[in-house]
């Protein structure tokens, strides 16, 4: 495996997928595999990841907060993301950490853009502005059907939140949007069927992330040596 104890350029990985896809399990496993190999990993989640983001999370996900219309919902998720991007994710990437976020802006494109019908273009623009143009280097999409997702979430004791309890048609629109985003930028996505076993998924994710980290390390060292070779180089 790559030597992560050597200086690494920072990397930003997001996990996305429908409710019940198993993202959180895979985010934990990837984080552990990379930490065990010597990387400095920051695992975080959305909505959340900052004190204001966690407050916004309960505001937007808990039942019983009164009416939250679609635009208000999109702006709450974007506000939480703005804080997360500027206070947590960007500084960590600049330190050279690997940031693993359980959900990011694609969730807003899928849930608010498609699910709530606000339009994916508008949500891309809103989030590009909110994050000052911070998008993941790699998005791992765990693809789950609405039926399988509902089955997996209702197998546990946790009650469904405001978004999870929407009907299957809402979740079908979300799934189609995630897949369309991945198809439009295949080099920035790893799409895996959520029905694969936990260990199969973990192995495929580690393989792809390891390859990406090695590529980035090669690019960083090539840039370092060309800076040293150029007359303006600082060495
Ligand atoms: P989720 O990751 O499912 O949290 P948990 O597994 O702890 O319940 O995220 C919560 C819900 O929020 C999920 O239904 C998706 C929704 N969501 C959006 O609608 N838009 C967003 O931008 C984000 C980040 C999440």
């Amino acid at each position: 495996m790559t030597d992560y104890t050597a200086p690494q350029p920072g990397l930003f990985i997001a996990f996305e997928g429908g409710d019940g896809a198993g993202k959180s399990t895979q985010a934990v496993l990837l984080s552990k595999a990379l930490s065990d190999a010597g990387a400095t990993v920051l695992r975080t989640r959305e909505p959340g990841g900052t004190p204001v983001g966690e407050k916004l999370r309960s505001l937007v996900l808990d039942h019983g907060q009164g009416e939250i219309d679609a635009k208000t919902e999109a702006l709450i998720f974007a506000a939480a993301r703005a804080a997360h991007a500027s206070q947590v994710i960007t500084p960590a990437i600049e330190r050279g950490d690997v940031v693993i976020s359980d959900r990011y802006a694609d969730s807003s494109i899928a849930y608010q853009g498609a699910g709530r019908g606000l339009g994916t273009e508008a949500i891309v623009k809103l989030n590009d502005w909110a994050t000052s143009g911070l998008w993941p280097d790699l998005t791992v999409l765990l693809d789950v059907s609405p039926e399988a997702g509902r089955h997996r979430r209702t197998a546990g004791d946790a009650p469904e939140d405001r978004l999870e309890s929407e009907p299957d048609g809402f979740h079908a629109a979300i799934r189609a949007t995630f897949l369309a985003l991945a198809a439009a930028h295949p080099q920035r996505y790893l799409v895996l069927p959520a029905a694969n076993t936990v260990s199969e998924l973990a192995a495929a994710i580690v393989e792809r992330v390891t390859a990406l980290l090695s590529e980035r390390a090669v690019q960083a060292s090539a840039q370092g040596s060309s800076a040293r070779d150029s007359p303006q180089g600082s060495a």
Side-chain angles (χ1 to χ4, degrees):
M1 208 181 189
T2 309
D3 174 16
Y4 295 118
T5 53
Q8 297 286 328
L11 197 74
F12 177 22
I13 300 164
F15 279 80
E16 297 282 9
D19 292 285
K23 297 174 290 38
S24 310
T25 304
Q26 291 301 328
V28 170
L29 291 175
L30 176 63
S31 165
K32 186 166 180 333
L34 296 177
S35 304
D36 287 351
T40 305
V41 179
L42 178 84
R43 187 165 57 80
T44 182
R45 69 165 181 182
E46 289 209 354
T50 64
V52 72
E54 291 295 331
K55 286 199 168 146
L56 291 169
R57 179 184 178 93
S58 26
L59 190 66
V60 76
L61 293 185
D62 294 352
H63 293 277
Q65 306 279 8
E67 190 196 340
I68 299 181
D69 63 80
K71 284 189 177 174
T72 305
E73 184 179 283
L75 288 164
I76 295 173
F77 281 115
R81 183 162 302 122
H84 196 211
S86 69
Q87 297 169 24
V88 176
I89 303 176
T90 300
I93 295 170
E94 285 172 357
R95 288 194 301 269
D97 296 359
V98 178
V99 178
I100 298 175
S101 185
D102 190 340
R103 296 196 184 278
Y104 190 65
D106 282 8
S107 282
S108 284
I109 301 170
Y111 283 78
Q112 283 65 54
R116 297 293 193 216
L118 292 176
T120 54
E121 286 290 308
I123 302 297
V124 169
K125 273 194 199 146
L126 171 67
N127 280 276
D128 197 53
W129 178 78
T131 63
S132 304
L134 177 70
W135 294 88
D137 296 296
L138 178 70
T139 297
V140 179
L141 172 59
L142 298 183
D143 178 43
V144 67
S145 70
E147 300 75 23
R150 186 170 301 279
H151 183 72
R152 288 165 72 144
R153 342 189 254 282
T154 48
D157 290 338
E160 291 189 309
D161 65 37
R162 271 183 65 246
L163 280 300
E164 286 169 342
S165 54
E166 290 292 335
D168 283 355
F170 177 85
H171 290 283
I174 284 157
R175 180 189 194 191
T177 304
F178 277 136
L179 289 171
L181 289 169
H185 306 283
Q187 69 291 355
R188 288 198 273 117
Y189 284 80
L190 171 64
V191 184
L192 296 168
N196 288 5
T197 66
V198 168
S199 56
E200 278 168 351
L201 291 170
I205 295 166
V206 167
E207 189 184 329
R208 177 68 179 265
V209 172
T210 302
L212 186 58
L213 280 166
S214 307
E215 258 170 48
R216 291 299 170 97
V218 169
Q219 281 166 7
S221 85
Q223 275 164 9
S225 50
S226 69
R228 280 191 299 278
D229 292 346
S230 81
Q232 289 81 27
S234 54

